[in-house]
Amino acid sequence: MAEIELRHIDKHFGVVHVIKDVSLTVKDREFVVFLGPSGCGKTTTLRAIAGLEEIDSGDILLDGKPIQNLRAADRDIAFVFQNYALYPHFTVYQNLAFPLEAVRTPRAEVEQVVRSVAKSLGISHLLRARPSALSGGDMQRIAIGRALVRRPKALLLDEPIGSLDAKLREQMRVELKRLHYENGSTSIYVTHDQVEAMSLADRIVVMNEGVLQQVGTPTEVYLYPANLFVAQFIGSPVMNVAPTVVREVDGAAEVALDGLKFGMPADLIGMLNLKAARSDLSLGIRPEGVEVSLAERPGYRPVEAHLIQPYGGFDIVDLKSGDRTLRARTVSGFVPRPGTPVFARIDPAQAHFFDNQTGASLGIRLERFQEKMPEFSGSKALPNKGLDHFGVSAETPGEAGQGA
Amino acid sequence: MAVVSSSGQRLGNRVAIAAVVVITIIFLLPIYWIGSTAFKPRNLATTAPPTIVFQPEISPFVKLFTKRVQLKPNEKIDVANAPWWEQMIFAGGERISRTGKGEIQLSGYPDRFINSLIVAITSTVLAVGMGTITAYGFSRFKVKGEADLLFFILSTRMLPPIVVAIPMFLMYRAAGLNDSHLGLIILYTAFNVSFAVWLMKGFIDEIPREYEEAALVDGYTRLEAFRKIVLPEAATGIAATAVFCFITAWNEYAFALILTNKKAQTAPPFIPSQIGSGLPDWTVIAAGTFLFLLPVAIFTFLLRNHLLRGMSFGAIRK
């Protein structure tokens, strides 16, 4: 097991600058996910670590030793391809044994290792089959098995479950998590699917256009996105983001989204002054940070429910005010039908402020309004604890639970 | 019947089968003609209409492999003690030529046949080998001016080969390659290598790079990955290319006629040359041709599984 360190990696494909000064340390036994849109450089970075792609400059260190000039074969890193890349002219057994034969492992040991890996992946009954006769899920299990037999220092996975159908993908995700839990190999996993990233990663590395946008635990990147790109890339449905103006009204702050004005704690003014940023801002708020009420309440602004998307456990409701749409998350059935007039406000604790020039988050953390909130939560619980103040959908107490 | 088909479909199938049978018969007719003539007595070989039913005999093959002389009008022959195959020769008014020590003299055919095998097999191995490696290079690495180079390789086939026959003859004479195995092997390899590069490039392009990349991270060198992964995956293409190269080299007539005369002469120019010696014995020519057809048939038969197997049997999801 090993620690992987990237120091100032740069890489061009012709005139295209695909990796821009990437530095990162993946700790021993850590599961890191590279997340980003296609063409962001995540796969190229992974291939560079494996030795399948040369880098222009920088260092790749494995356990402190530079490996960027070693051949792929000498790096002791395993790679799982999106298309599995199982050798079609070999049986499953031969596929699994292939990496061991590269290092002249005695036949008896090969047999023993292959059988034990096959057993842990539940593919013992397939050892004599040819890859072409297998289902996608089994092929992927074998591809992962082939990566594990050699007990490599690190395991690199390039969208390994991207070709599977949704149900199988979910199943394999759990299996991958279990495998990492059992083997504890240092792993880097590339995906463009934020759900995969959130559910698997110890830390997520968000990339865009060859640049690291943010590195953090799933909770960190979700709750505290470092910039507009991360804020909008992570989270589904996507975060509401709009240019805003912050003013001081009667000793409290007020943010304006076009015609809609929402109250904010007075602290906001001071915080913005501290950052020397009052103008050219964007406000970001996740749908669960938009609190909806059917009855008029102080601080809530009148809006009209537009589209309602039921997700089973919750609804996503588009709230309209003029041309502006604010997407909110409510318990399912809370807003009975499109066109219903409702009232909304923004939970300051979930409000993000971004500098429009740089896109960077101003890092402002506000407190929730000091008032008694209903007990239940309308939003799906996040995987982390200590978030009791987070993601509460407001309802008038009298109506609570009616739609749920 | 598990297969559900409409009467229209069945009729279509029957028509298709009938068409295939007719076409097959048309293509097989010359082969049947040669095969049957090779086993006919000499007097039945040129009858019109052709003799279909006859007592097959082996004498054309005996004649093919031996040197014979005409019996003199009052030459004494010991018919009773001669072996059975020589008695057939006596029946045609000839005897088998022997050396002073009494050893049977062979005709030129066996040597020519062996020459054909040496030249065709060696040039095929060379052309397919070089073609595969070159195609791999073009397919997998960034080669400067790749398109131009590939076009140049292809352009060597744009000229009808016979156009360069005279310059080739003069160059070969100057280089001392006339009537040598090496000369023909070089020539046929050069003919075929461009074809092999283009055909193999198509096949290798079809093999996903991930196979090799997987082998590279699994601890193998590029050469080992090529040998253990790419070559087996390209077997179908290699087989197809080899069959085509072999047939071209095996059947080549014009250059073999011009550049060789004895030592390295191949079978194609030799077989018709027998027509010129005395009255043409068509049964011997047919026997020589019949034997000459066999290696290609056997070669193709051995590789039939590779030729028939599709390329898309892989375990890669596209």
Side-chain angles (χ1 to χ4, degrees), chain A residues 47 71 73 77 81 83 85-89 98-99 101-102 131-132 139 146 150 163, chain B residues 210-211 213-221 224 228-229 232-233 313-317:
Chain A
R47 289 170 57 87
R71 290 179 313 172
I77 290 175
F81 294 85
N83 56 15
L86 299 178
Y87 313 119
H89 58 291
F98 195 64
E101 283 160 2
S132 51
M139 280 200 244
R146 192 174 65 187
R150 212 159 32 102
S163 314
Chain B
E210 283 87 351
Y211 288 156
E213 290 179 343
L216 291 179
V217 290
D218 279 348
Y220 290 89
T221 62
E224 284 172 323
K228 288 177 189 259
I229 304 300
E233 288 303 309
F313 59 103
I316 283 255
R317 184 161 165 155

Side-chain angles (χ1 to χ4, degrees), chain A residues 227-242:
Chain A
N227 55 39
L228 274 172
F229 176 81
V230 178
Q232 294 191 287
F233 195 78
I234 291 188
S236 173
V238 74
M239 178 188 278
N240 299 291
V241 174

Side-chain angles (χ1 to χ4, degrees), chain B residues 22-38:
Chain B
V22 169
I23 291 167
T24 309
I25 288 172
I26 292 171
F27 277 96
L28 286 178
L29 201 63
I31 293 169
Y32 163 75
W33 195 292
I34 286 169
S36 66
T37 308

Side-chain angles (χ1 to χ4, degrees), chain A residues 248-264:
Chain A
E248 197 171 343
V249 177
D250 302 336
E254 186 183 80
V255 293
L257 296 171
D258 293 342
L260 272 179
K261 294 185 178 68
F262 294 103
M264 286 279 154

Side-chain angles (χ1 to χ4, degrees), chain A residues 72-110:
Chain A
D74 301 328
R75 295 191 184 193
D76 198 13
I77 290 175
F79 199 102
V80 177
F81 294 85
Q82 177 174 12
N83 56 15
Y84 325 130
L86 299 178
Y87 313 119
H89 58 291
F90 287 168
T91 61
V92 169
Y93 181 93
Q94 287 170 318
N95 264 286
L96 291 173
F98 195 64
L100 296 172
E101 283 160 2
V103 289
R104 313 249 184 282
T105 315
R107 189 174 288 234
E109 195 184 326
V110 171

Side-chain angles (χ1 to χ4, degrees), chain A residues 200-312:
Chain A
L200 283 171
D202 291 330
R203 280 194 301 159
I204 293 178
V205 175
V206 186
M207 281 184 86
N208 188 34
E209 291 177 348
V211 180
L212 289 196
Q213 303 290 325
Q214 187 173 4
V215 182
T217 64
T219 323
E220 278 166 2
V221 292
Y222 189 85
L223 291 187
Y224 311 120
N227 55 39
L228 274 172
F229 176 81
V230 178
Q232 294 191 287
F233 195 78
I234 291 188
S236 173
V238 74
M239 178 188 278
N240 299 291
V241 174
T244 189
V245 177
V246 181
R247 287 187 310 164
E248 197 171 343
V249 177
D250 302 336
E254 186 183 80
V255 293
L257 296 171
D258 293 342
L260 272 179
K261 294 185 178 68
F262 294 103
M264 286 279 154
D267 298 352
L268 177 59
I269 305 287
M271 287 177 176
L272 287 175
N273 284 340
L274 211 63
K275 308 265 178 190
R278 280 287 284 278
S279 58
D280 208 8
L281 298 178
S282 276
L283 168 69
I285 182 84
R286 294 205 186 277
E288 57 263 38
V290 179
E291 299 173 345
V292 186
S293 167
L294 293 179
E296 192 169 2
R297 302 175 69 198
Y300 283 70
R301 305 288 172 212
V303 287
E304 187 188 296
H306 189 54
L307 295 179
I308 301 173
Q309 302 174 59
Y311 277 72

